[in-house]
Structure formats: C-alpha cells, structure tokens
Amino acid sequence: MSDRPRLLPLLGATRHGARDAMTCLYRCGNACDHPVPNRSDNPYFGDLVDAEVSRRGVVRAGAAGALVLGFGGAVAGALAGAAPAAAAPAAPAVPGAGEAAAPAGGVGSGALTFKPIPPNKLDTLVVPNGYDHAVVIKWGDPVVPGAPAFDVHDQTAAAQAKQFGYNNDFVGVLPIDRRRALLVVNHEYTNEDLMFPGFTSQEALTVEQLRVAMAAHGMSVVELERVDATGQWRPVRSGRRQYNRRVTALATRFELTGPAAGSAWLRTAADPKGRTVIGTLNNCSGGVTPWGTVLSGEENFNQYFVGGDGAPEELKPKLLRYGIPTDVRYPSGSRKWERADERFDLAKHPNEAHRYGWVVEIDPFDPESRPRKHTALGRVKHEGANVIVAGSGHVVAYMGDDERFDYLYKFVSDKKFMPGNSWVARKHNLTLLESGTLYVAALEGNSAAEIDGTGKLPADGAFDGRGRWIKLVSGNRSYVDGMTAADVLTFTRLAGDKVGATKMDRPEDVEPSQLTGKVYVALTNNTDRGRAGKAAADEANPRNLNKHGQILELVEDRGDNTAESFVWSLPIVCGDPTDPSTHFAGYDKTRVSPISCPDNVAFDATGNLWISTDGNALGSNDGLFATAVEGPERGHLKQFLTVPLGAETCGPFITKDNRSVFVAVQHPGEITGASVENPASTWPDGDFAKPGVVVTWRLDGRPVGS
C-alpha cells in the first residue's frame, strides 16, 4: 500500500486546519486522523476549583521568472535581556568567551516602528522595507569539516551525518565574542517525497535511504561569523571549526539522567541498564539556558514506531495515550524505520518508545560531551523547554505538550543556579535539570458561565482567571496515587489525567520573559474543541472548533516563578481582526495584522514578544509577528515577515544586541503532489525546495523592530 499523502475532504473547520496533507503525514504521522490520545474523564475547565517587500522589490517566481511586487491597502532564550523583576542572579557568560555586547547605540527604544507587511502567497521570504535577509545555511550544506558536497542524486547516510540536516525548527545563537557565535538548530523531521528523486513510497526506499533520513534528523551546531559590522551572519568556512557538530537519530549516544533513568520502563535488550539511548527524534522547539547549553524537545516520536499490536497487553493503554495505535502493525503515516533498525518495532522492543519524548540538553561548547535526556522534566510530546532563574536562585523550566487537549507543565530545580564564569559554576549548573519538582497546570476562569464557544468576551472585558500548579513528583517521591516516581516521569500524560489538569488547545512553545518574569504560551489551535464527546470551550480556550489559536499570559503569584499559583489572561485571541471572536488586548483591531496558529514565541532585548505561526488558516503564508506586551502599544500586533509557499516559520531568535532576527524556514514547498522533480517551491536556490535558516537585519544598522 502506498504511503503517498492523500487529500483530505474540506468539512468546515477540519481537524488538519490549514496544513497540507503532506505536512500532516510527515510531521506528525497524521495525528489528527487518529483518536485524540487524551480520553481521560478528568474534570473540564469549568469544573475545577480555585510591508512592503524588501529584497529590492523583486522576488523570484520559480519557472515564471521575476515578479515585481506592489502591495496596496490592506533574548529570545535565557541569554537575552536582563534578569526578571524577581532579581534573579546574573547569567554567566559562556566559559572561555565574552558575550556579544550591545553596540554603543544600544538595543533600541522598544518601539516597533516597521511598516507591517501584508499577507501574501509568494514563494520567497518577504521582509519590511529597510530590511534585508540572507540564507545562513540550508539542507545539505557542510557542517563538519570535510563534509562532501551535497548531491541530491547521490545521498548517503555518512554524508548526511556531516551535512546540515532536514526541516530545521528551533534556532539558538550563542555568542562566542563580538564577531563569532554558535548556531544550534533542531532538525525535526524528514519528507522523503521532497528529498529523494523518484520517490514512490516508504516501502520502496532502500535501507540506505532510510538511514539518510535518520541522519537528517537531530541537531546541528555551526560556528558563525558576523558580516562586517552588520546584523548579517554566515557560517565559518575555513579553519578548525572545533565546535561544529551533527547530532543524529542514527548514531549519537544520549545519557539518561534523573529519577527514571535506569528504571524498568527504560531498559531494553540493547541497553539492559536503561541509561543510554541511541538518537533523538522529532526535535521541535527548545531554549537556551543561562549556563550556555541548549534544550531541545522531542515531540511526535510516536510515528517512528510500528508493531504496537504486538506489544504486551498491559502496556497498550500507555502506548495509546502517547498516540501509538495498538490495533495495527503499521499505523497511518508509519515511516518503516524498523527496516533499517529493529529497535523501532515495538513487538520486539516494547520499551524503546519510552526512551523518546524527553527534554534533551546539549552543550554546544563541548563537542565531545554526550547529550543528555532529562527524565526529571517528564515525558510528553515536548514542543520545547525554556528556563528562567527565580529570585530564590532555583531554575524554573516551562513546557508545553503539543497535542489537542493536553497540558502545560513546569519544573523547579532542587539545586540553585551558581552565577559566574568558572568551570566549577558550569559543572554545577549542568546538573540543575537532573532533580527537582514537576508540576502540571489547572486553570479556572473568572467568567466561566459566560463562555459560549463563540469567542465573545465576558462582561468584564477579558478572558482571565486564576490557576494552580499541581505537584506530580519531587525527586523520587510521587504525588500521584497508584504511580511511582518512575511511572509519573515516564507516563507523565497519565499522571496529568489523574490529577485533573486543564485540557488546553495544543500548548506549544512556553517562554518566560527575562525582563518581567511573565510567561507566554502559544496555544496553536484545536479544531476538535467542542465536538461531540470532546471538551467544550472554556475561558482559557474560548472557541469551539478553534482553528486560529491564542496566546496565554501567565503571571506567577508574588512574581515568584517557583510559586504554586498564578493569574492568567489571553492578551491575543488569533484570527482575522474583523472577526468578532478575535481579541488583541483591547487594541484598535483596525490597526493590527491578521494572525493564525501561533507556534513559537521569543523576546527581543527590549521585551517585545515575537510570534511565529504554523498552518495559517487565513489563506496566507506563515510568518513572524511582533507586539509590545506592556504599555499603550500592548496588543498592537504587526507582521514582520512571511516565509515561502508551503513553509512554516520556526525559531525565532533575536540576538542580544537586537541587530539580527533568525528564523528557520521549515518544509518549504510541502504541498501535496510536489516532488524533487516537480517542486511546489523553488526556495531558496531556484531549483527544488530546501529547508534553511535565514537572518534578517536593518540596512541602516539600527536595532530591528524599532
């Protein structure tokens, strides 16, 4: 049977939203075609207790030639910015190197003065007038010195393991000095339709091609250099490049840390001690830590496994809760990797799936170090993890589980962050995520009785309320009846079900502001909200058949990120501003840009919130948006860029000096029927689509945005 993606019927608000069927197949294994994994009867929300175009005005239009455009009418990361209001200790510089300091002109006023670009369907990256952009690195470019030149007709796993991987997602830029930095990128998934000429089906791929795909997953670390004194960056192409590194699903060894490491759930025939995992899968977003490492979230790992029907009967409910069907050998969207490595066959190795779905930590400044999977942070479909140092010195990591009706999590470390540049401090801080307390969120609204599923604002003029963090596990002590600490950490979704966590609309990126300590959550969409037998709208998820998503703002009590209670609100309810169900913090909606399906969030050095989108259900290409979150311009959302046809905007990352905006252009041209020979996008080289990382900067050298 062919694995070619099929067109899906359009029935109003489809479960797939605006994503193409090809993206649904490869990115998440047709997750929306399978039953919602959360079938728990835990209480629902209401039942809980207390531009214009740059690039010189001309862009490529594929085989049609050039098209002149004229439109009318209608840190990011824990190293960027100052300490939050709750007086956290200062973050250390990366050992052996100084941070890239802001220039004498400062980082700008924080005012977002760029003219927003209009929605479009162009096969190029579009930025405002006064800005330029360049591709930093793309699929197949060399990473490890000595990597062979990329040849789409002669791909090998050995070559791909030295080249930039496929479908870049998270982007982190860690400074070495004023002119050099390390780019760290996730490679979330592969699309064999668009990688291999002559592709017909997964079954027809050779074992070597499967191994190429495995090598194209994972992460890349690439040394960059600044171009002159501008905001442009490019890879260093000569010299030692001692930090350059590829981490793959094929061969990289990972160490398991924390209370679940070594537990019976994580032991396999190949690893009877349950402490070493080969590879990382479906790495989505992530974050940069105050001690100079990168966190990466393993997300839709379920699609890589087959043989759920042959797994032990007592294990099947747990596999189902993580989206692994147990009634067929080959679920829809299976990648057939067991042909290259039998560990992906659960009938033979039923515990292998438990070794994915973790938060991964990699030290880009130590290329010989072994990456780690931190079990103390729980196992879900992690979008990512972002860290802030609380006033007490404890490290707090915020995380979302990217699934319809799944949960929002927080981890608080047992140990305290040690400031300073010494190796003693660094060695200590590398242990911070190995032990602590894991919580899941429960929210209640102030106007629950007024929520009717249409998105109409309550009488008090806001979607808002209070919430509490429910303790799941602390160290080796479980707070969930009938579950050990190892159970809770390995099957964290089941623990959240048991304690009555709030079912959210796909909580993806969760990031605290380093300036204020406030936390922002991208709730992407949930077109199953309010369907028969599913949770209806509530105040935090106020629309049934929600195809556009919303942004949640969470403020911890007393400004303490370790607190166990908080207040929350929805400053942005996404969609067309002319739609009465949308909300932009009370700002004049005639002046805001339309936005749909928020995915990743980031902050610039002045505290503005930047939002990237995935699956724009308004008919335009996905893009990057910015808004103030404080003051009179709060809610004034403006579109900064759009990505090419079929692509998703990932990242984003704004450098500490506010001179450069990085985004990952993921899956360009991922449109049903496209192939290497018949591309739907020719970005970026004019031949066939290649995912890549882009940097944008102001031509006058001033801070971006302002």
Side-chain angles (χ1 to χ4, degrees):
M1 180 177 179
S2 174
D3 280 328
R4 299 289 292 185
R6 63 190 184 282
L7 289 172
L8 299 171
L10 296 177
L11 299 173
T14 69
R15 287 176 171 83
H16 292 257
R19 275 186 179 172
D20 189 87
M22 183 184 280
T23 302
C24 294
L25 171 66
Y26 283 112
R27 185 172 184 190
C28 58
N30 286 330
C32 292
D33 286 348
H34 301 297
V36 173
N38 191 348
R39 307 177 198 181
S40 66
D41 58 358
N42 61 305
Y44 293 156
F45 182 101
D47 300 323
L48 297 175
V49 297
D50 5 323
E52 296 179 20
V53 185
S54 180
R55 303 307 296 167
R56 302 155 189 88
V58 181
V59 295
R60 298 182 65 91
L67 174 67
V68 180
L69 304 180
F71 293 104
V75 180
L79 289 181
V94 173
E99 288 195 44
V107 296
S109 66
L112 296 169
T113 60
F114 64 88
K115 185 175 180 180
I117 64 166
N120 65 80
K121 294 289 288 185
L122 297 168
D123 189 27
T124 189
L125 194 127
V126 182
V127 297
N129 277 351
Y131 289 78
D132 207 345
H133 72 274
V135 175
V136 179
I137 192 168
K138 61 185 182 297
W139 173 47
D141 284 351
V143 171
V144 178
F150 179 69
D151 183 349
V152 73
H153 298 284
D154 184 23
Q155 299 181 60
T156 67
Q160 178 64 86
K162 296 180 179 181
Q163 298 163 337
F164 196 68
Y166 203 76
N167 270 342
N168 30 227
D169 195 305
F170 169 76
V171 174
V173 181
L174 289 76
I176 299 174
D177 55 36
R178 289 178 181 272
R179 295 194 53 81
R180 297 184 303 147
L182 293 184
L183 173 72
V184 184
V185 179
N186 286 351
H187 300 293
E188 185 174 4
Y189 71 98
T190 51
N191 181 332
E192 285 76 358
D193 274 75
L194 304 183
M195 291 176 66
F196 299 114
F199 175 87
T200 57
S201 70
Q202 295 294 129
E203 292 92 342
L205 292 173
T206 66
V207 169
E208 181 64 13
Q209 286 175 317
L210 292 174
R211 289 171 58 81
V212 169
M214 295 167 73
H217 282 67
M219 304 175 73
S220 289
V221 180
V222 181
E223 185 176 346
L224 302 182
E225 61 183 3
R226 188 186 292 273
V227 177
D228 300 322
T230 72
Q232 183 180 0
W233 296 79
R234 64 190 173 202
V236 175
R237 292 300 188 198
S238 62
R240 289 181 61 198
R241 289 162 286 169
Q242 60 182 323
Y243 301 117
N244 284 26
R245 181 182 189 185
R246 275 301 320 281
V247 170
T248 73
L250 183 65
T252 306
R253 291 181 176 271
F254 286 75
E255 176 189 350
L256 288 160
T257 77
S263 72
W265 297 120
L266 300 180
R267 299 173 194 158
T268 65
D271 178 29
K273 294 183 179 180
R275 293 188 175 274
T276 304
V277 179
I278 303 298
T280 185
L281 294 176
N282 211 259
N283 298 73
C284 194
S285 188
V288 178
T289 70
W291 49 95
T293 63
V294 167
L295 304 181
S296 174
E298 296 182 316
E299 192 182 22
N300 294 301
F301 62 88
N302 55 298
Q303 63 180 301
Y304 300 89
F305 293 94
V306 304
D309 60 337
E313 288 300 317
E314 63 274 15
L315 189 58
K316 287 183 177 180
K318 296 179 173 62
L319 295 175
L320 274 172
R321 186 63 181 88
Y322 282 82
I324 299 176
T326 57
D327 56 347
V328 294
R329 175 165 175 76
Y330 291 108
S332 169
S334 294
R335 292 176 171 272
K336 312 295 174 59
W337 278 14
E338 84 288 351
R339 294 173 50 217
D341 191 330
E342 72 169 33
R343 65 191 164 104
F344 294 101
D345 186 347
L346 298 179
K348 297 180 179 179
H349 305 284
N351 279 355
E352 189 68 27
H354 307 155
R355 292 149 67 85
Y356 302 90
W358 304 103
V359 171
V360 171
E361 184 174 17
I362 180 173
D363 185 352
F365 290 94
D366 184 359
E368 301 303 318
S369 62
R370 180 174 290 187
R372 296 171 294 157
K373 298 190 179 189
H374 290 303
T375 69
L377 275 66
R379 174 175 165 266
V380 298
K381 288 187 179 179
H382 282 287
E383 173 76 10
N386 284 284
V387 166
I388 191 168
V389 181
S392 63
H394 295 282
V395 164
V396 182
Y398 292 92
M399 302 166 286
D401 185 351
D402 183 10
E403 190 85 67
R404 296 160 290 165
F405 303 112
D406 259 297
Y407 309 135
L408 178 65
Y409 296 89
K410 175 172 89 170
F411 168 85
V412 179
S413 67
D414 284 339
K415 299 178 183 178
K416 294 184 179 181
F417 173 77
M418 183 181 294
N421 300 333
S422 71
W423 283 106
V424 172
R426 185 167 175 77
K427 182 178 180 180
H428 168 82
N429 292 332
L430 285 169
T431 68
L432 290 174
L433 302 181
E434 296 180 0
S435 62
T437 302
L438 182 65
Y439 300 86
V440 68
L443 296 83
E444 61 177 355
N446 291 335
S447 309
E450 299 179 51
I451 304 303
D452 61 6
T454 68
K456 180 182 177 181
L457 278 171
D460 64 5
F463 297 113
D464 58 359
R466 291 197 57 81
R468 58 194 175 98
W469 293 108
I470 304 173
K471 192 178 295 186
L472 297 177
V473 64
S474 186
N476 287 306
R477 179 182 177 185
S478 168
Y479 290 87
V480 183
D481 289 344
M483 300 182 76
T484 66
D487 294 342
V488 170
L489 296 173
T490 309
F491 305 108
T492 310
R493 284 182 164 181
L494 291 167
D497 296 344
K498 279 179 170 285
V499 301
T502 298
K503 297 179 177 181
M504 306 296 288
D505 285 350
R506 288 186 58 203
E508 294 210 45
D509 208 6
V510 187
E511 183 144 356
S513 167
Q514 301 296 315
L515 295 179
T516 67
K518 297 179 182 179
V519 181
Y520 295 83
V521 184
L523 297 165
T524 298
N525 57 40
N526 184 356
T527 53
D528 269 359
R529 176 72 65 177
R531 290 183 185 269
K534 308 291 175 58
D538 54 46
E539 197 159 351
N541 308 276
R543 292 179 295 190
N544 289 329
L545 306 180
N546 177 16
K547 60 183 179 180
H548 296 304
Q550 61 264 14
I551 298 292
L552 183 144
E553 180 184 75
L554 187 155
V555 182
E556 301 274 24
D557 282 355
R558 305 178 306 282
D560 179 3
N561 290 93
T562 70
E564 295 189 351
S565 57
F566 54 87
V567 296
W568 64 267
S569 64
L570 299 182
I572 297 176
V573 180
C574 300
D576 187 332
T578 64
D579 182 341
S581 74
T582 59
H583 178 65
F584 294 85
Y587 200 85
D588 180 358
K589 293 204 296 181
T590 66
R591 300 179 59 197
V592 305
S593 295
I595 182 173
S596 176
C597 302
D599 186 343
N600 298 126
V601 294
F603 294 93
D604 62 27
T606 61
N608 291 312
L609 180 68
W610 296 67
I611 306 167
S612 64
T613 65
D614 168 22
N616 190 333
L618 293 172
S620 172
N621 288 353
D622 278 311
L624 179 64
F625 302 75
T627 181
V629 290
E630 307 286 342
E633 288 294 289
R634 174 177 164 92
H636 188 186
L637 188 79
K638 303 171 72 172
Q639 184 157 16
F640 180 75
L641 63 76
T642 52
V643 292
L645 281 172
E648 169 191 344
T649 316
C650 297
F653 190 96
I654 301 90
T655 54
K656 181 183 176 69
D657 64 6
N658 249 23
R659 260 55 182 180
S660 311
V661 176
F662 287 82
V663 295
V665 178
Q666 191 184 84
H667 60 75
E670 196 165 66
I671 297 172
T672 299
S675 63
V676 174
E677 299 86 350
N678 181 35
S681 169
T682 61
W683 188 89
D685 295 329
D687 45 10
F688 56 91
K690 306 177 191 74
V693 174
V694 172
V695 63
T696 299
W697 68 97
R698 277 185 67 143
L699 291 169
D700 62 8
R702 295 173 60 195
V704 295
S706 59

